[in-house]
Amino acid sequence: MKKKNSGLFYLLFTGLFLLLCTITLLGSLAPWVDVSLLPFIQLIPAVLPFLFPVFVLFFFYYFKKSARWAAVSLAAIFCCGWVAGKDISFQNRPVEASGGLSVASFNVGTFDFEPAKIDTVAALIVSMNPDVISLQEFRNHLLDGNVHSLDYLKEKLQMPYAEFVHLPVHIHGAVIFSKYPIVDIDTMFLPRKEINSGILATVETPLGKVGVGNIHLSSFQAAQTLEENDEVKDKFKGVWNRINIVLPLQQEKVNQVLQKTNDYPYPMVIAGDFNSPPHTHIGYQFRQRFSDSFTEAGNGLGWTYPLAGFLGVRIDYQYHTNELMAVNHKIVHSGVSDHYPIQATYHLVP
């Protein structure tokens, strides 16, 4: 009986192992799989770093039992480590660098719909002292004194130039504040059914004219308002529906961003909340055109969206064109929002 139970345990254990190996393989291939094909694959890379220690345990379990399964475990460890490596950077760069253009990005979470929280956000941004900052989920509250958030923050941040482009049906979305004149503004995408939008400002900086993009790709929260069937009782089916709504929406916006920026005449930084980990088809498409400031000049763990304790995922980015080089990239660990702000300094390539 004991032998039978031991055999059943081994069978179930190996079944779980093979399932996780399949998931790992699919997640590893995500950058090269079009979003229209099996969209759920694009979510798997966010899980793979956390499977790394699981496969280490599998390896030690199989080490003396099966050389074949131990080798498969090693391959899975490599895949998980490869994906996790895109959230880790060991650049020996200074945290601060003199001169250049400092660009920050921050999803402020609509200030939690609390106008009083605007001062907390403002104090954090002032401490960072960026030249330009892109805010996502900015809400243009009417504050005491009959002043709106936009004008209030201009004064608080000492950034007299700001552009907030939105449809009349929204009072929140993407905004760009700048110490330097914004000489042109354009939209990259501006959907009616979502607050997540994308804009591109041309800023007259000490480096010359530089484009600063602010994009916020579709989130799973947005999918709640876009579902065709609001009475989905099966939770699994509900999640599946949202995956099939959100991922194509993200890809549609990425296509618009890449098309809009294709012939842009100036150096450019695209910052924002991508709602997507780096090892995805979306991340792959951006890395084909732009450099990632974190992998170029960051140091340490790149997670920008905390999940539990120190665990998190990197979904906020700054990408830049090859006329610029990032000389540092930092993540400001703050509990002001559900996202961490990110900041990078850029110089012109000599």
Side-chain angles (χ1 to χ4, degrees):
M1 186 69 177
K2 186 176 179 181
K3 186 175 181 181
K4 182 178 180 181
N5 289 337
S6 177
L8 180 61
F9 171 79
Y10 183 82
L11 184 63
L12 292 174
F13 194 80
T14 302
L16 175 62
F17 172 69
L18 292 175
L19 175 63
L20 293 179
C21 285
T22 302
I23 290 172
T24 300
L25 177 61
L26 291 174
S28 299
L29 296 175
W32 302 278
V33 178
D34 192 273
V35 171
S36 62
L37 301 172
L38 304 175
F40 75 92
I41 288 177
Q42 304 301 322
L43 301 181
I44 297 176
V47 179
L48 295 190
F50 307 113
L51 289 183
F52 183 91
V54 176
F55 282 114
V56 171
L57 293 177
F58 275 120
F59 172 75
F60 283 115
Y61 176 79
Y62 285 120
F63 184 70
K64 291 184 178 180
K65 292 180 178 293
S66 170
R68 178 179 59 183
W69 292 134
V72 174
S73 300
L74 279 178
I77 290 170
F78 171 80
C79 289
C80 292
W82 175 44
V83 173
K86 295 184 179 179
D87 288 330
I88 303 172
S89 179
F90 298 107
Q91 303 293 330
N92 186 22
R93 300 276 188 173
V95 175
E96 301 294 341
S98 59
L101 179 70
S102 174
V103 179
S105 176
F106 187 19
N107 183 324
V108 296
T110 63
F111 307 110
D112 289 335
F113 295 95
E114 297 176 9
K117 197 169 184 179
I118 293 174
D119 285 323
T120 307
V121 171
L124 176 61
I125 295 172
V126 168
S127 71
M128 294 165 60
N129 193 29
D131 297 316
V132 184
I133 186 164
S134 300
L135 301 182
Q136 302 86 46
E137 293 191 27
F138 169 82
R139 184 174 175 86
N140 201 19
H141 291 280
L142 180 62
L143 308 174
D144 293 338
N146 202 33
V147 61
H148 283 85
S149 304
L150 186 70
D151 294 321
Y152 183 76
L153 280 178
K154 279 184 183 180
E155 183 176 349
K156 279 282 186 179
L157 303 179
Q158 297 184 19
M159 291 182 164
Y161 307 98
E163 290 291 345
F164 175 39
V165 183
H166 63 98
L167 294 173
V169 294
H170 300 311
I171 65 166
H172 41 291
V175 64
I176 294 175
F177 290 90
S178 174
K179 292 180 179 179
Y180 304 115
I182 296 175
V183 296
D184 193 21
I185 189 72
D186 199 357
T187 60
M188 290 192 282
F189 54 88
L190 200 62
R192 182 177 179 83
K193 293 185 178 182
E194 294 179 70
I195 67 169
N196 299 9
S197 54
I199 59 178
L200 176 61
T202 302
V203 184
E204 190 67 72
T205 78
L207 304 183
K209 289 182 179 178
V210 175
V212 177
N214 181 1
I215 72 172
H216 188 189
L217 297 185
S218 303
S219 67
F220 281 87
Q221 286 87 348
Q224 296 176 22
T225 62
L226 298 173
E227 287 179 348
E228 294 180 6
N229 182 1
D230 292 330
E231 299 181 355
V232 176
K233 295 180 180 180
D234 184 328
K235 291 185 178 180
F236 178 80
K237 184 177 179 182
V239 171
W240 185 260
N241 285 348
R242 289 181 188 178
I243 290 172
N244 287 289
I245 290 171
V246 172
L247 275 298
L249 278 175
Q250 288 185 349
Q251 184 60 61
E252 178 182 323
K253 292 174 176 59
V254 168
N255 292 342
Q256 293 173 9
V257 170
L258 294 177
Q259 181 179 10
K260 198 81 172 185
T261 59
N262 189 47
D263 297 319
Y264 189 74
Y266 307 113
M268 177 170 40
V269 176
I270 296 179
D273 175 5
F274 286 57
N275 277 309
S276 178
H279 192 80
T280 58
H281 189 59
I282 285 173
Y284 173 76
Q285 290 175 93
F286 273 93
R287 289 193 299 274
Q288 295 303 295
R289 284 267 305 274
F290 306 101
S291 297
D292 181 345
S293 65
F294 171 72
T295 57
E296 181 179 2
N299 189 32
L301 195 58
W303 290 339
T304 63
Y305 188 84
L307 296 174
F310 73 95
L311 301 178
V313 64
R314 185 159 75 103
I315 59 175
D316 301 88
Y317 304 85
Q318 288 191 26
Y319 290 104
H320 63 88
T321 53
N322 57 15
E323 300 97 334
L324 300 170
M325 61 178 179
V327 295
N328 66 50
H329 175 110
K330 64 180 180 179
I331 299 160
V332 181
H333 295 90
S334 166
V336 172
S337 171
D338 57 347
H339 289 249
Y340 294 142
I342 59 174
Q343 184 173 10
T345 302
Y346 299 94
H347 289 176
L348 289 172
V349 172

